[in-house]
Amino acid sequence: MQVGAGNRWLRMAHVALLAGVLTGCSEAAEGDDSKESARPSATAEASGPQDTAASSGGTIGAAGSACELPVTFDTAKSWKAEAVKAPLSQGPVTLACEIDAKPAGNIGFLRVWAGTSGAADARSVLEAFVAAEDGVSKAKYSAFTSGGLSGVQVEYLYASELLEETKKESAFAVTTPDGPVVVHLGGLDTEEHEGMLPAYELARRTLHTV
């Protein structure tokens, strides 16, 4: 399945899932108005640390882990990783693993996409990945190094037709002897995305080849 149909399927499934989560939250709030929301207010978040490091909950990528990949990295505590077998492609890479943030209290996924070995560098792979997604604007690329790997990361805005809003998303890419890897972080909205950035940074910071 190519990027158009694959991404629509992912987005629609994601929105359906979020609708259930948000409905449950609404019902819980109506049942007990005396309880404060478990999530900090926007004011509290703005006044607190914005780049708190995520605690590691384990490592994925190696043989025998939840997702076997060309790279290994740490996942944030309570996030749940699951290998993906559906043939969903975006640009030069195919979805290989989803790491769900819901058990940690956020709404979104860290998704890992992998490709076959070739001559393309990390920048070319990441640019092709972003170009294959409709609704992207203001992409900003930068280089990074981690675990002996040189990679490229990007931050951009995604205009969601399903949610009728524009939100921030991030991704990074590296190339390995077994092919390129792209790690992408979305989220329900920009607020959720920024709340999950420490988990994304943990993955990038602990990245190694297998």
Side-chain angles (χ1 to χ4, degrees), residues 21-47:
V21 171
L22 294 176
T23 299
C25 292
S26 176
E27 291 174 350
E30 291 173 358
D32 187 357
D33 292 337
S34 65
K35 292 184 179 179
E36 295 182 357
S37 171
R39 183 173 180 172
S41 67
T43 302
E45 287 180 347
S47 63

Side-chain angles (χ1 to χ4, degrees), residues 56 58-62 69-75 99 110-113 122 144-153 171-176 179-184 199-210:
S56 174
T59 302
I60 65 167
L69 304 164
V71 296
T72 65
F73 58 83
D74 287 4
T75 57
I99 309 165
L110 196 63
R111 290 190 170 101
V112 187
W113 305 71
F144 73 92
T145 57
S146 178
L149 290 168
S150 295
V152 176
Q153 60 185 342
F172 67 79
V174 294
T175 54
T176 77
V181 174
V182 174
V183 178
H184 171 264
Y200 169 85
E201 293 296 339
L202 174 67
R204 188 176 62 82
R205 189 173 66 249
T206 57
L207 195 68
H208 291 84
T209 55
V210 175

Side-chain angles (χ1 to χ4, degrees), residues 34-122:
S34 65
K35 292 184 179 179
E36 295 182 357
S37 171
R39 183 173 180 172
S41 67
T43 302
E45 287 180 347
S47 63
Q50 297 299 302
D51 192 26
T52 303
S55 299
S56 174
T59 302
I60 65 167
S65 65
C67 299
E68 297 184 10
L69 304 164
V71 296
T72 65
F73 58 83
D74 287 4
T75 57
K77 186 177 181 180
S78 298
W79 287 50
K80 184 178 180 181
E82 183 177 1
V84 177
K85 296 181 180 180
L88 303 176
S89 298
Q90 182 164 327
V93 289
T94 300
L95 185 60
C97 182
E98 283 189 336
I99 309 165
D100 191 353
K102 285 196 301 299
N106 290 103
I107 304 174
F109 294 88
L110 196 63
R111 290 190 170 101
V112 187
W113 305 71
T116 57
S117 57
D121 56 43

